[in-house]
Amino acid sequence: MQPIQMKLIVAAMSAVVALSCGAVQAAPSYTVTDLGTLGGVYGSEAYGINASGQVVGNSPTLRPGNAYRQHAFIYSGGVMSDLGVGDASVALAINDSGQVTGYNGATYIPQAFLSTNGSVTYLGTLPGSLPPSSRGSDVNASGQVAGFTDSRAFLYSGGSMTDLGSFGGYYTRATGINDSGQIVGSSDLTGNATTHAFLYSGGGLTDLGTLGGTRSSANDINNLGQIVGGSAIAVGGLSHAFLYGPGGMMDLGTLGGSNSSANAINKLGQIVGYSQIAGDAIGHAFLYSDGTMLDLNSLIDPLSGWIITQANDINDLGQIAANSCNNSTGQSICRALLLTPVPEPETYLMMLAGLGLVGAMARRRNYMRK
């Protein structure tokens, strides 16, 4: 092998190593994509994201006579489209196949739906629900939906709805489901005096406890069984974001303010949510990674004008569905955002491909010299 060939290979390998080390040791930065609205200047909100970077949420759409109606949307391929579920609808989650769940409240009684390739199925409700309402909170790879009626958590699977039970109280809420069918949420205890986070697995509920206070709720679970949410702590009635795993419930802290809550976790253990910051009751969105809670506003261009207030979901590539407001024009404009890490995950694949190409070139030259 000629010296120049060796130098090329060494340079490519060094670049790959440098990128890999940087991904582990340094906080990522993000590009910000404003997802826009379905009509007019009014805001939009993002709630779910899948592996392809498709985002769902809701946005007012302009109707004749300057009337605005809230509609569920899907953002895909750079375009925000009306999901076609109707007025007063919200899309809360999307799986990797593009199935979307949420609810339609046009009749003032929310109805859970599952949208598959543009076809909308209404899931109904549990017997005895008054009013007969339902909301779809999350959908897994099999199209199973976790959600809740007016008072009970449910699993929708195979065309039927199952009551998940409770800890003896009246209200239960299911908020997340993984591909194994494990579900998380919250349930009142006997007497309805307080609410605890739960894991539903194997047909029964497990009480996840608290961080020392009286209340807790779980918001998401990944395919490794890691659970995130918010819990009251022992001091002052404050609530902190938590991660629940084999070691129990761990306090993730805050960004310097009083309260925080974790909304989602990916398979890498990256967590997103909301936290108050010191001296600010509104709060900022956070990314928790490698044992550190980071203000997402410190990871974007400070000249962008955006103040990210809530991060609601994160996919396994590290892309984040978030909500934000921008006051740089003198008028507050609030929008759904897509945050994409820099360098993008595809960069690593390109570097590895480049390394393979250099090696192939070297082998070809050696073969031609024989």
Side-chain angles (χ1 to χ4, degrees):
M1 183 179 295
Q2 298 298 313
I4 185 64
Q5 298 167 0
M6 178 60 73
K7 289 180 180 179
L8 286 171
I9 292 175
V10 171
M13 291 179 67
S14 298
V16 172
V17 171
L19 278 173
S20 300
C21 291
V24 173
Q25 297 175 359
S29 59
Y30 292 85
T31 60
V32 177
T33 302
D34 178 357
L35 304 192
T37 72
L38 289 173
V41 298
Y42 288 91
S44 52
E45 297 176 311
Y47 292 107
I49 186 170
N50 67 8
S52 301
Q54 294 176 302
V55 180
V56 294
N58 67 276
S59 170
T61 182
L62 185 60
R63 300 282 293 277
N66 292 323
Y68 285 91
R69 296 291 185 270
Q70 178 177 280
H71 278 205
F73 74 74
I74 180 170
Y75 178 89
S76 181
V79 177
M80 179 185 287
S81 303
D82 194 321
L83 197 61
V85 187
D87 288 349
S89 57
V90 179
L92 294 175
I94 180 170
N95 67 13
D96 291 347
S97 299
Q99 293 180 294
V100 181
T101 194
Y103 64 90
N104 178 337
T107 62
Y108 302 100
I109 300 177
Q111 297 295 308
F113 68 82
L114 178 64
S115 174
T116 304
N117 297 324
S119 176
V120 177
T121 300
Y122 287 95
L123 309 187
T125 189
L126 291 169
S129 295
L130 293 174
S133 65
S134 59
R135 300 173 188 245
S137 301
D138 199 8
V139 56
N140 68 9
S142 301
Q144 296 176 307
V145 176
F148 55 92
T149 66
D150 64 311
S151 61
R152 307 292 286 187
F154 69 76
L155 167 65
Y156 179 88
S157 181
S160 63
M161 189 176 284
T162 301
D163 188 335
L164 303 188
S166 74
F167 290 140
Y170 185 71
Y171 290 100
T172 56
R173 299 285 186 269
T175 48
I177 183 171
N178 66 12
D179 291 344
S180 299
Q182 294 177 304
I183 298 172
V184 295
S186 59
S187 172
D188 284 356
L189 304 185
T190 301
N192 304 318
T194 189
T195 300
H196 279 194
F198 72 72
L199 167 66
Y200 178 87
S201 183
L205 298 181
T206 298
D207 189 335
L208 304 186
T210 74
L211 290 173
T214 59
R215 308 180 70 86
S216 64
S217 60
N219 294 324
D220 194 26
I221 180 170
N222 67 13
N223 286 336
L224 299 176
Q226 296 173 302
I227 300 166
V228 296
S231 171
I233 60 175
V235 179
L238 305 178
S239 180
H240 283 189
F242 72 75
L243 167 64
Y244 184 94
M249 187 176 288
M250 181 176 73
D251 190 337
L252 302 186
T254 73
L255 291 173
S258 300
N259 297 287
S260 63
S261 181
N263 294 328
I265 181 170
N266 66 13
K267 72 177 182 181
L268 302 178
Q270 294 176 305
I271 301 167
V272 294
Y274 150 88
S275 173
Q276 291 178 323
I277 62 176
D280 188 343
I282 296 177
H284 284 186
F286 72 75
L287 167 71
Y288 184 91
S289 182
D290 295 325
T292 302
M293 182 180 287
L294 304 168
D295 189 333
L296 276 172
N297 292 280
S298 69
L299 305 178
I300 65 172
D301 182 353
L303 301 180
S304 69
W306 294 109
I307 301 297
I308 307 172
T309 56
Q310 187 81 247
N312 287 319
D313 203 4
I314 182 169
N315 67 15
D316 291 337
L317 295 178
Q319 294 177 298
I320 298 170
N323 297 328
S324 178
C325 292
N326 191 324
N327 300 314
S328 60
T329 63
Q331 180 182 8
S332 181
I333 298 174
C334 297
R335 291 281 199 271
L337 301 181
L338 170 63
L339 308 183
T340 301
V342 180
E344 297 184 26
E346 288 80 2
T347 302
Y348 301 104
L349 299 178
M350 291 173 64
M351 288 299 300
L352 291 173
L355 179 57
L357 178 60
V358 171
M361 290 171 59
R363 290 192 297 271
R364 183 175 184 275
R365 289 182 180 178
N366 285 336
Y367 175 80
M368 294 296 290
R369 291 176 187 274
K370 291 181 179 180

